[in-house]
Amino acid sequence: MSSSPYIFGRIPKLPPKYALIVMPFFMSGLMSGIICMVNLVRAMGWTTQVLRAWPGTWLLAWAVAFPTVLLVIPLVKRITTKLVRLP
Protein backbone atom coordinates (compact mmCIF):
# COMPACT_ATOMS: atom_id res chain seq x y z
CA MET A 1 0.00 0.00 0.00
CA SER A 2 1.69 3.21 -1.15
CA SER A 3 0.97 6.60 0.31
CA SER A 4 -0.30 9.26 -2.05
CA PRO A 5 1.97 12.30 -2.57
CA TYR A 6 -1.14 14.49 -2.30
CA ILE A 7 -3.16 15.73 0.67
CA PHE A 8 -6.31 15.55 -1.45
CA GLY A 9 -7.06 16.32 -5.05
CA ARG A 10 -3.91 17.78 -6.60
CA ILE A 11 -2.66 19.54 -3.46
CA PRO A 12 0.80 18.10 -2.70
CA LYS A 13 1.89 17.06 0.78
CA LEU A 14 4.32 19.37 2.57
CA PRO A 15 8.03 18.49 2.78
CA PRO A 16 9.17 16.66 5.98
CA LYS A 17 10.74 19.80 7.50
CA TYR A 18 7.25 21.23 8.05
CA ALA A 19 6.37 18.43 10.51
CA LEU A 20 8.08 20.56 13.20
CA ILE A 21 5.28 23.12 12.78
CA VAL A 22 2.32 21.02 11.62
CA MET A 23 2.38 18.52 14.51
CA PRO A 24 2.46 21.18 17.28
CA PHE A 25 -0.20 23.19 15.40
CA PHE A 26 -2.70 20.34 15.44
CA MET A 27 -1.70 19.05 18.89
CA SER A 28 -2.12 22.50 20.48
CA GLY A 29 -5.44 22.97 18.68
CA LEU A 30 -6.89 19.67 19.82
CA MET A 31 -5.61 19.95 23.38
CA SER A 32 -6.75 23.55 23.87
CA GLY A 33 -10.17 22.74 22.40
CA ILE A 34 -10.72 19.76 24.67
CA ILE A 35 -9.46 21.53 27.78
CA CYS A 36 -11.59 24.61 27.08
CA MET A 37 -14.69 22.47 26.66
CA VAL A 38 -14.02 20.54 29.88
CA ASN A 39 -13.43 23.75 31.84
CA LEU A 40 -16.51 25.48 30.42
CA VAL A 41 -18.77 22.49 31.16
CA ARG A 42 -17.34 22.27 34.67
CA ALA A 43 -17.90 26.00 35.29
CA MET A 44 -21.25 26.47 33.53
CA GLY A 45 -22.79 23.02 33.31
CA TRP A 46 -23.84 21.42 30.04
CA THR A 47 -25.92 24.23 28.51
CA THR A 48 -26.32 25.93 25.16
CA GLN A 49 -24.31 28.82 26.62
CA VAL A 50 -21.28 26.51 26.71
CA LEU A 51 -21.70 25.78 23.01
CA ARG A 52 -21.86 29.50 22.27
CA ALA A 53 -18.89 30.40 24.49
CA TRP A 54 -16.61 27.54 23.45
CA PRO A 55 -15.43 28.67 19.97
CA GLY A 56 -14.19 32.06 21.16
CA THR A 57 -12.64 30.59 24.28
CA TRP A 58 -10.96 27.90 22.22
CA LEU A 59 -9.52 30.32 19.66
CA LEU A 60 -8.07 32.52 22.41
CA ALA A 61 -6.57 29.49 24.17
CA TRP A 62 -5.16 28.17 20.87
CA ALA A 63 -3.60 31.57 20.13
CA VAL A 64 -1.70 31.19 23.41
CA ALA A 65 -1.12 27.42 23.25
CA PHE A 66 0.48 27.18 19.80
CA PRO A 67 3.33 29.66 20.33
CA THR A 68 3.82 28.31 23.86
CA VAL A 69 4.22 24.78 22.49
CA LEU A 70 6.75 26.01 19.94
CA LEU A 71 8.75 27.68 22.71
CA VAL A 72 8.72 24.76 25.15
CA ILE A 73 9.38 21.90 22.71
CA PRO A 74 13.18 22.19 23.02
CA LEU A 75 12.94 22.04 26.83
CA VAL A 76 10.57 19.07 26.72
CA LYS A 77 12.91 17.24 24.31
CA ARG A 78 15.86 17.77 26.69
CA ILE A 79 13.86 16.51 29.66
CA THR A 80 12.66 13.53 27.64
CA THR A 81 16.20 12.54 26.64
CA LYS A 82 17.18 12.62 30.34
CA LEU A 83 14.32 10.30 31.28
CA VAL A 84 13.94 7.96 28.30
CA ARG A 85 16.45 5.61 26.71
CA LEU A 86 16.05 6.46 23.02
CA PRO A 87 17.18 4.20 20.14
Side-chain angles (χ1 to χ4, degrees):
M1 181 173 155
S2 65
S3 177
S4 170
Y6 299 102
I7 297 171
F8 59 86
R10 296 183 59 85
I11 299 172
K13 289 185 178 179
L14 297 170
K17 68 179 182 179
Y18 290 101
L20 296 172
I21 299 295
V22 172
M23 195 279 295
F25 177 78
F26 285 107
M27 181 65 77
S28 63
L30 290 169
M31 290 298 296
S32 60
I34 292 166
I35 292 167
C36 284
M37 180 59 83
V38 168
N39 284 332
L40 281 171
V41 169
R42 186 168 182 263
M44 301 170 71
W46 188 250
T47 66
T48 56
Q49 288 178 328
V50 167
L51 298 176
R52 285 190 213 112
W54 178 72
T57 303
W58 178 23
L59 289 176
L60 177 60
W62 197 357
V64 173
F66 180 54
T68 301
V69 167
L70 293 177
L71 289 172
V72 301
I73 280 178
L75 174 64
V76 171
K77 283 182 179 180
R78 281 196 300 270
I79 294 169
T80 301
T81 59
K82 299 276 187 201
L83 299 174
V84 177
R85 185 173 8 121
L86 299 171

